[in-house]
Each structure stands twice: as structure tokens, then as C-alpha cells.
Amino acid sequence: MGAAIETTARPFVEVSEVWVPEGEVLRFAGGHYGAMGAFGEASRHTRFGKGEGLPGRAWSEGKPIVLKSFDGSYFKRPEAAQKAGLTAAVAIPVFAGKTLRAVLVTLCADDDSRTGAIEVWRETDGLLMLDDGYYGAAKHFEWVSQHTHFPKGQGLPGGIWASGSPMLMRDLGSGYRFIRADSAGKAGLTTGLGLPVPGPSGDSCVLTLLSARGTPIARRFEIWDARAARVGSRGGAVLIDGICERDGPLWTDDTQEAPRHLAAWQGVIGRVLGTGAPVAESVTGSVGHGYASVVALPIYRGEALAFVVSWFC
């Protein structure tokens, strides 16, 4: 195993939580809250109807929703969020065909130093345009993004739109494939994870998570392929791409299989494969391998689970 991970950098995302449908409401199904236990306790006792609050709004609209301020909004836990220092959130619905499986909500704390981006891109007149996004202190990069569009196949959003598959990009500030490389470099953005977010109508948004070294969204990103053509009769999923801030594998056994294979119910990724729903939770001890939290998000093609993307912080 590598050395212990340096965790002094302030994360761009402070809280992640999962909401699952139960009848006509969304109920709490887990989350990572770090030192914000009081906000977590408020969440555990909350329910959302369709169209109610941020998770319910993502359910009813069938697409990711960005909420940049809680003041005067439909956010249901404003007092608890204010006490925790949380100021913005993004809700990501997970649909299998027309069926909602869960809503993943990530919450951020705004200040003058936290830089990153969580962006939602949607097709308009044959081009991908920015639907909304949260950028923290990266104001110039936000302006550039608002004035950028992507044809199919171009840049990170366009590449995801064309392939229908999640993608990782490295070295955003110097990579020629990243269209906004100059402004990304000035903002300190280094790593990009993009993924399709299908809606119940069959249309897909593209979600991009852009991480800066000083205030990272995560310290490790992974993409797992669960398509039958890739895993064959074994089922499960294979690791097809990943970025880590340290050398060495995340797992502790001596297996050198490439690509790495996990079965349903094996570890966090296996739980996503088994349940079809996201996971967001704290991890400790040897299970965490030096990380404090993990988020694992399923991506469907139609009704079939095709990929799992995960990030560790």
C-alpha cells in the first residue's frame, strides 16, 4: 500500500447523500457528512415528495438540478444547512428507463478559496449548452463555460454525448482535448470526470465534475464497465479507467488481474451492482485504504445498468 493520503486540503464537496423512492416519497438511504453530523441527523428524519425539495425536484424534472443558494428557495433544510456552513447543492437523479432508482445529492460550502466545477450540459439546437453549474471561486472559468458550446464528439461533454459512456480527462490545464484548457489551468483544475445522466423521457444530460488539486472533489476516480459484452458470463463489472493521487492499487490482495473484476455484492461497487442504487458513505480503517468517504453512482442504458463511476475523498 502507498503512504497515507494527505487530507489537509479542503474538499470542494462537503456532503453526499442518497435518497431512494418508497411509495410516493423519497427516504434517506445513507450519506457522508464528515464533521457535519447535525445536518446528517436532520436529513435522516426528512422525506421528499415528487417535486418537493431538491431531491424531489430532480425526480419530477428528470434531470440534474443545481441550487446555488438556499435562501428563499425550495430547499427543505435551510437552517440545518446554514449551521453547517453549506451553501449550494446538486441533485442527480438515477433512472433505469422510466423508473427512478435514487437521487444522489452533493452539497458544497462556498468561500474565496474552494475551486471546482459541477456542470450540467443539455442539447439545444444540435449543440451541448451549459444548463447550469456550480463553480465555487472559479468565476472566470464559470463565465467561459457559460459562453462555450460543444458539438457531438468535441471536448469532454461532447465526447460523452457521442459515446453515451463516462470518461476521465487528465491534465485539464494543458490537455489539447479539453476545449477550456487555458481557463481551466488558470483556475487550477486538473481532473475531469464526465458521465451521461439519462432521463425518463429518453433524453440524456451530461454531468461533468472538474476537480482542482487544492480543493479536490475527490482524490481517486474510477470507471467500472458492467455491460454484458464486457463482463460476459462472469457478470459483475471490470475497472476500465481510474485516476489516483498516489501510486499503488486501492485493493489489498495480490491479484494482478487486468482489468480488475468485481462481482455483485463485492465491496462498494458490488453493492451498487446488486442494488442498482448509488452509495455515499464514510469509510474507515483498512476498508477505507486511507480515504474518508466514497460515492459510487450507477449509470443505466435503458433499464440495464451499464457503468458504475466512483470517487473517493
Side-chain angles (χ1 to χ4, degrees), residues 21 38 53 55 61 79-81 95-96 99 108-109 120 138 144 165 186 202 240 268 286 292:
E61 295 194 15
E79 293 182 2
F95 282 94
T99 302
C108 305
V120 180
V144 170
S165 303
K186 292 176 180 176
I240 58 172
V268 171
S286 60

Side-chain angles (χ1 to χ4, degrees), residues 227-236 261:
R227 293 173 295 177
R230 190 61 182 260
V231 298
S233 61
R234 294 187 301 175
H261 178 264

Side-chain angles (χ1 to χ4, degrees), residues 16-228:
S16 297
E17 52 188 25
V18 175
W19 302 86
V20 297
E22 188 175 81
E24 299 299 319
V25 299
L26 294 171
R27 65 168 178 83
F28 177 79
H32 165 67
Y33 295 91
M36 300 178 181
F39 183 77
E41 190 62 24
S43 300
R44 291 180 181 92
H45 298 285
T46 304
R47 297 290 186 272
F48 297 97
K50 191 172 185 178
E52 183 182 20
L54 181 59
R57 185 68 65 93
W59 182 7
S60 64
E61 295 194 15
K63 69 180 186 73
I65 301 293
V66 180
L67 192 55
K68 299 178 185 179
S69 173
F70 301 149
D71 294 339
S73 74
Y74 50 81
F75 193 78
K76 282 188 67 174
R77 298 162 285 167
E79 293 182 2
Q82 184 180 28
K83 290 179 180 178
L86 299 168
T87 57
V90 181
I92 306 160
V94 178
F95 282 94
K98 295 184 178 182
T99 302
L100 181 77
R101 301 305 299 267
V103 177
L104 172 70
V105 177
T106 63
L107 297 105
C108 305
D110 197 6
D111 57 36
D112 293 335
S113 64
R114 293 192 216 210
T115 297
I118 304 176
E119 305 174 313
V120 180
W121 300 85
R122 298 188 76 186
E123 186 270 333
T124 302
D125 297 329
L127 296 171
L128 274 187
M129 311 290 289
L130 185 68
D131 186 63
D132 208 346
Y134 176 70
Y135 297 85
K139 301 304 181 185
H140 177 69
F141 184 77
E142 179 177 8
W143 183 89
V144 170
S145 301
Q146 291 169 343
H147 294 82
T148 303
H149 57 264
F150 294 94
K152 185 170 285 189
Q154 186 179 62
L156 180 58
I160 296 159
W161 186 22
S163 67
S165 303
M167 293 174 57
L168 276 166
M169 272 194 178
R170 293 117 166 118
D171 302 321
L172 298 184
S174 58
Y176 70 93
R177 294 176 59 206
F178 193 73
I179 305 303
R180 299 165 286 166
D182 182 64
S183 55
K186 292 176 180 176
L189 299 171
T190 58
T191 302
L193 171 67
L195 52 136
V197 182
S201 64
D203 297 331
S204 287
C205 295
V206 171
L207 182 79
T208 50
L209 307 176
L210 309 180
S211 188
R213 189 173 302 279
T215 54
I217 288 177
R219 295 176 173 84
R220 180 183 179 96
F221 295 95
E222 300 174 341
I223 298 176
W224 296 80
D225 193 335
R227 293 173 295 177

